[in-house]
Every structure is written in C-alpha cells, then in structure tokens.
Amino acid sequence: MNTKFYKQLLENNKKWVSTKLDLDPQFFERLANGQQPPLLWIGCADSRVPANEIIGAQPGEVFVHRNIANMVVHSDMNMLSVLDYAVNVLNVKHIIVCGHYGCGGVKAAMGSETYGLIDNWIRHIKDVYRFHREELDLIFDETERFNRFVELNVIEQVHDLAKTSIVQNAWRGGKQLSLHGWVYGIGSGIIKDLEVNIDSEEQLDEVYQLNFK
C-alpha cells in the first residue's frame, strides 16, 4: 500500500489550519458555532470543479450537494434531503445548479456504450437529450453539440428544481429564494451564467420559453 499520498493529505491539513489561524485566530471557533450559508450549490462530482474554490468562497459560505452531471432527480432522497435542509433550516437565499463543459456524465449520455450500474443514472441525462433532440441534432459540430447539451442539462435541472415541492412551498410561504444555472469552463476557469434565474412560480414558464424558444 502506497501511504505517501495519504500521509501528505494529513500534513496538508495541518498546514492549512496553521495558515488560517495566522490570518484569523478565531476562524475555527466561529465555524464551530454553526453555519448560515446564503447559498446551496448543486454541482457535478467531477474532481476538477471544487465549489468553494472556483467562486472564492470561504468555509461556511456554501452548502454543497454533488452528483454525476449535477442532476436534480425527484426520486433522489439524498438530493431532496440536502435541499430541504438548505431551504427550511439554513434558509439559503440562492441555489445554483452548476454544470461544466467536458462533463463525463453528459458525454456518456450522448452515446450508446454501457457502463454498468451508472447506466441507470445516465438514463436521466439521456431524457434531457430526448427532450431537446430537435435542436441538438441540428448541431453538426460534435464539440459544439456537446457544449450545448451541457447547457441544456443545467437549464432542465434548474426547472426541475423549481418544480420540487420544497421550492414551491418555500415560495408560497413567502421565502426569498432564487434559482440560477451556471456552466464552468474547466479549460478557462470562467463561469458562464446561463441567465436562467427563477425566484417565483410565475417566472417558470417565462424563463422556460426564453431558453428553449
């Protein structure tokens, strides 16, 4: 067993703690008192997309849920539990669904290869392609089609998020809650705002038509 990498992680942790304490001796003491993040991040599990780091956020500022291809699946109790806690306990004000160009899950959904258990998850992504086949099949450049599929997947997930009973009940109860869709460029480090911003039930159809016209 190669333990060098493993041990280095623990050493890195000690250095990180030391750096934080040098800058702010009460940093961890404040974190231990609880969290009140303004943002829930639903992102891809890809190791190249660290939520806090790419937006310059500190520990305690972002509540995070990640899965393959940043999906909002209505039968996913893990995602729903995170969403419920974020909205109804932490009272987050913003939820961002962030995909990324070059997403392996989205790429897999474009083909017919089988991968085993994960095929069941990819099926949800394939549904997005089916919904938008007319547009996507007209894009002949494979990279351009792939990138657009990534964007459409994020937009669909934002709309699926808006349709959850958790978000619907929050709006009906007068909570201030805004949903957003982003795509991160791994090769550039830049985030693209897809301008799919929803903060009420009334905006759902309007935003949907704007992005899929």
Side-chain angles (χ1 to χ4, degrees):
M1 178 180 177
N2 187 346
T3 61
K4 183 177 180 180
F5 174 75
Y6 173 76
K7 290 181 177 179
Q8 186 60 53
L9 297 178
L10 296 174
E11 290 302 315
N12 292 346
N13 169 252
K14 293 175 183 177
K15 293 176 182 178
W16 177 73
V17 170
S18 179
T19 299
K20 287 295 185 183
L21 290 176
D22 285 344
L23 294 173
D24 181 358
Q26 280 77 49
F27 180 79
F28 294 103
E29 183 178 338
R30 283 199 306 276
L31 283 183
N33 287 332
Q35 60 172 328
Q36 198 66 52
L39 167 66
L40 167 61
W41 175 283
I42 299 177
C44 183
D46 193 296
S47 63
R48 301 167 294 176
V49 193
N52 285 61
E53 189 171 351
I54 66 176
I55 58 174
Q58 295 299 314
E61 293 180 340
V62 185
F63 199 58
V64 178
H65 174 77
R66 298 172 70 176
N67 60 48
I68 293 174
N70 42 270
M71 301 297 290
V72 175
V73 178
H74 286 205
S75 58
D76 180 0
M77 292 305 297
N78 188 339
M79 183 279 298
L80 291 173
S81 297
V82 170
L83 177 62
D84 186 47
Y85 190 80
V87 171
N88 294 314
V89 178
L90 298 178
N91 293 308
V92 299
K93 303 302 183 191
H94 298 272
I95 304 176
I96 293 171
V97 178
C98 185
H100 66 94
Y101 296 117
C103 179
V106 173
K107 182 68 171 178
M110 294 178 72
S112 58
E113 187 174 347
T114 62
Y115 298 90
L117 180 63
I118 195 176
D119 290 345
N120 298 283
W121 188 259
I122 292 174
R123 170 52 53 193
H124 297 292
I125 314 171
K126 284 181 177 289
D127 285 342
V128 176
Y129 196 103
R130 178 168 55 85
F131 298 155
H132 302 285
R133 180 177 296 278
E134 183 176 351
E135 175 185 350
L136 292 168
D137 284 354
L138 288 175
I139 303 174
F140 297 105
D141 181 83
E142 186 175 350
T143 299
E144 185 181 345
R145 184 168 66 252
F146 183 14
N147 289 343
R148 181 56 179 160
F149 188 15
V150 167
E151 295 173 353
L152 289 171
N153 185 55
V154 168
I155 295 169
E156 282 288 356
Q157 304 320 305
V158 173
H159 283 89
D160 285 345
L161 183 63
K163 294 170 187 174
T164 62
S165 59
I166 296 166
V167 170
Q168 293 276 312
N169 289 335
W171 284 333
R172 290 167 187 167
K175 284 182 178 287
Q176 293 183 345
L177 183 63
S178 298
L179 315 181
H180 315 274
W182 290 358
V183 177
Y184 175 67
I186 291 177
S188 66
I190 300 298
I191 291 170
K192 178 179 180 180
D193 184 352
L194 297 177
E195 298 183 359
V196 49
N197 303 300
I198 309 174
D199 56 23
S200 68
E201 286 184 87
E202 291 72 24
Q203 279 191 302
L204 265 175
D205 290 338
E206 177 184 340
V207 174
Y208 194 87
Q209 291 298 324
L210 178 65
N211 284 279
F212 297 140
K213 64 181 180 180

